[in-house]
């Protein structure tokens, strides 16, 4: 018998029928002899709808009240799920984040978990109940207020519960079958991975893969939690995300030895259309200018990703600096830079939101040469122009025209030998 934490995303509990389907899955796990703790998201698009309501009532709302509002979404789904389980003849008890002992810092809207004290959950488990916890929320001891963990935070709730309760596995259920070598809606020949390393998963998540939230993967890696991403709508085993040295216990799943051992050079190709590019033109090529520019950008709250600086033109001793950032941060960053233009002394700003980012991720890059050559050759054959390049130890990313991104991803996927024999089955979902 194992202790299993399961997380169900909003699309898995979108309506009464779905809640009953999830209840059945939970009861089946219980019937198999396991203890079950469930973290649940708000039903369907509830969180977006609540945010929308807030905007209608007031253009800017107090962060404390926004968290009170948003945390109610998960309260609805947790209680309904417990009721559905009761009606199947099983004991279930729902708990809010604060009842469950999710202690966070005081940052409303993006709180970090600092401690988990699951006393009431342990009691309920000892009494034989299935435990349901509202995802995405916690409690701060100093302010004594409810906090939320940021969008997609229920993944983190689940992983934190798994760590605190020393669960055998944290199963994250969504509407996709697991982690794929690429987004199957972009690359139809994408294959589901049986196993992916947590460092590769972090790079994939940071570069556009949406199935798991990066904070949850980080938390799992730090606390030695095995994540298993799988679908609510099928019975496959999904994908196991493993940190170095971790193996999947036989009680949880039978993983073919070769897929557990396999270390492909490239694990996957991630695509991201959510970024924009800003180019600062005619920057005086003297020490300190990059510092001035990126201090202004950082103060605007923007999260810069890639940066490229050109060689300066000998005649003018000026250069161009381009960087990418989330589209949603671009307007604020542009305004902040424009305000400082006289001081910094650049000539102009160009904003481009038609870019796409393609990233190739694989731990095998450390020890294999020629990985980038394969990427550049594939893009060249496809006639795709590369605008920016950046690398980490296990990732190569390029910026291309947004319109070229899907085609480029398919060609690159083929070039690394990642194509499956058949097209991937895509459920209606978004991966949440
Ligand atoms: N309901 C929250 C959101 O939509 C948290 C979650 O789904 O994980 O972001
Ligand atoms: Mg949601």
């Amino acid at each position: 018998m194992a202790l299993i934490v399961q997380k169900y995303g909003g699309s898995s509990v979108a309506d009464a029928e779905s809640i009953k389907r999830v209840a059945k899955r939970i009861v089946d796990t219980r019937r198999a002899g396991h203890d079950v703790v469930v973290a649940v998201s708000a039903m369907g698009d509830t969180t977006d709808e609540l945010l929308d309501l807030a905007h209608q009532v007031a253009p800017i709302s107090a962060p404390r009240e926004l968290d009170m509002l948003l945390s109610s979404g998960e309260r609805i789904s947790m209680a309904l799920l417990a009721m559905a389980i009761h009606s199947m003849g099983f004991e279930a008890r729902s708990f809010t984040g604060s009842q469950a002992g999710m202690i966070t810092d005081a940052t409303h809207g993006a709180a970090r978990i600092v401690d988990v004290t699951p006393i009431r959950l342990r009691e309920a488990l000892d009494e034989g109940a299935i435990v349901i916890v509202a995802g995405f929320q916690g409690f701060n001891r100093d302010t004594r207020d409810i906090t939320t963990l940021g969008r997609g935070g229920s993944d983190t709730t689940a992983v934190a519960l798994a760590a605190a309760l020393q669960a055998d596995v944290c199963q994250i259920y969504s509407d996709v079958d697991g982690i794929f070598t690429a987004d199957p809606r972009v690359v139809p020949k994408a294959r589901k991975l049986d196993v992916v390393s947590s460092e590769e998963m972090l790079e994939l998540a940071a570069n556009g893969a949406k199935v798991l939230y990066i904070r949850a993967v980080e938390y799992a890696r730090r606390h030695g939690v095995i994540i298993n991403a799988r679908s609510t709508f099928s019975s496959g085993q999904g994908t196991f995300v493993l940190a170095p040295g971790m193996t999947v216990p036989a009680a949880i799943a039978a993983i073919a030895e070769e897929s557990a051992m396999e270390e492909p050079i490239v694990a996957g190709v991630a695509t991201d259309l959510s970024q924009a590019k800003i180019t600062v033109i005619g920057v005086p090529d003297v020490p300190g200018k990059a510092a001035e520019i990126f201090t202004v950008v950082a103060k605007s709250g923007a999260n810069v990703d890639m940066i490229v600086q050109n060689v300066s033109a000998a005649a003018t001793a000026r250069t161009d600096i381009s960087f990418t950032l989330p589209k949603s941060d671009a307007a604020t960053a542009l305004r902040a830079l424009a305000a400082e233009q006289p001081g910094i002394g650049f000539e102009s700003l160009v904003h481009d939101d038609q870019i796409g980012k393609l990233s190739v991720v694989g731990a095998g890059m450390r020890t294999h040469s020629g990985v980038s050559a394969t990427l550049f050759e594939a893009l060249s054959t496809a006639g795709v122009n590369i605008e920016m390049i950046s690398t980490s130890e296990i990732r190569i990313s390029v910026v291309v025209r947004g319109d070229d991104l899907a085609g480029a991803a398919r060609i690159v996927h083929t070039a690394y030998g990642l194509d499956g024999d058949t097209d991937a089955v895509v459920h209606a979902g978004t991966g949440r």
Side-chain angles (χ1 to χ4, degrees), residues 123-305:
E123 280 168 12
L125 286 172
D126 288 345
E127 290 165 22
I130 292 166
V131 168
I132 317 283
V133 178
F136 170 62
Q137 53 185 271
F139 175 78
N140 179 260
R141 281 184 174 137
D142 301 324
T143 61
R144 288 173 293 157
D145 278 329
I146 303 294
T147 54
T148 62
L149 308 179
R151 297 310 305 267
S154 304
D155 284 10
T156 320
T157 303
V159 171
L161 287 172
L165 295 164
Q166 292 178 305
D168 297 85
V169 66
C170 180
Q171 299 177 331
I172 301 209
Y173 285 90
S174 72
D175 54 11
V176 298
D177 285 334
I179 310 301
F180 282 72
T181 50
D183 182 340
R185 281 159 301 181
V186 177
V187 181
K189 289 264 184 289
R191 274 184 302 118
K192 188 201 64 114
L193 295 163
D194 292 336
V195 176
V196 68
S197 73
S198 52
E199 60 172 353
E200 288 167 331
M201 192 62 237
L202 281 173
E203 289 278 13
L204 289 168
N207 290 285
K210 293 183 198 70
V211 182
L212 293 175
Y213 272 85
I214 191 155
R215 271 198 187 182
V217 181
E218 274 166 0
Y219 200 104
R221 184 174 164 81
R222 247 183 295 124
H223 292 84
V225 172
I226 298 176
I227 293 182
N228 176 209
R230 53 201 288 160
S231 166
T232 310
F233 303 95
S234 72
S235 57
Q237 284 199 349
T239 305
F240 287 88
V241 183
L242 301 176
M246 295 200 309
T247 48
V248 178
I252 305 293
I255 295 273
E257 191 141 330
E258 66 274 18
S259 58
M261 300 288 293
E262 184 184 9
E263 202 195 54
I265 299 174
V266 167
V269 177
T271 47
D272 187 359
L273 281 169
S274 70
Q275 300 232 328
K277 181 169 82 172
I278 291 176
T279 304
V280 190
I281 294 180
V283 182
D285 196 6
V286 294
K289 288 299 160 188
E292 287 175 30
I293 289 173
F294 289 103
T295 304
V296 170
V297 174
K299 279 204 186 125
S300 80
N303 223 329
V304 171
D305 183 20

Side-chain angles (χ1 to χ4, degrees), residues 6-91:
Q6 300 186 329
K7 179 259 173 173
Y8 292 94
S11 62
S12 301
V13 291
D15 51 30
E17 268 326 297
S18 319
I19 290 175
K20 287 197 242 173
R21 186 188 306 122
V22 164
K24 180 167 183 309
R25 219 179 234 281
I26 294 167
V27 163
D28 285 347
T29 311
R30 181 83 191 119
R31 278 212 183 96
H34 304 302
D35 278 338
V36 193
V37 174
V38 176
V40 68
S41 288
M43 295 171 70
D45 297 325
T46 303
T47 308
D48 290 315
E49 287 158 14
L50 292 173
L51 274 171
D52 192 49
L53 259 178
H55 289 149
Q56 287 181 44
V57 173
I60 300 168
S61 12
R64 178 188 185 277
E65 302 310 327
L66 205 52
D67 275 356
M68 288 302 252
L69 178 71
L70 296 187
S71 61
S72 69
E74 271 71 11
R75 260 177 106 134
I76 296 174
S77 48
M78 75 174 192
L80 289 172
L81 191 52
M83 292 172 197
I85 294 171
H86 293 160
S87 80
M88 300 172 76
F90 282 76
E91 168 66 4

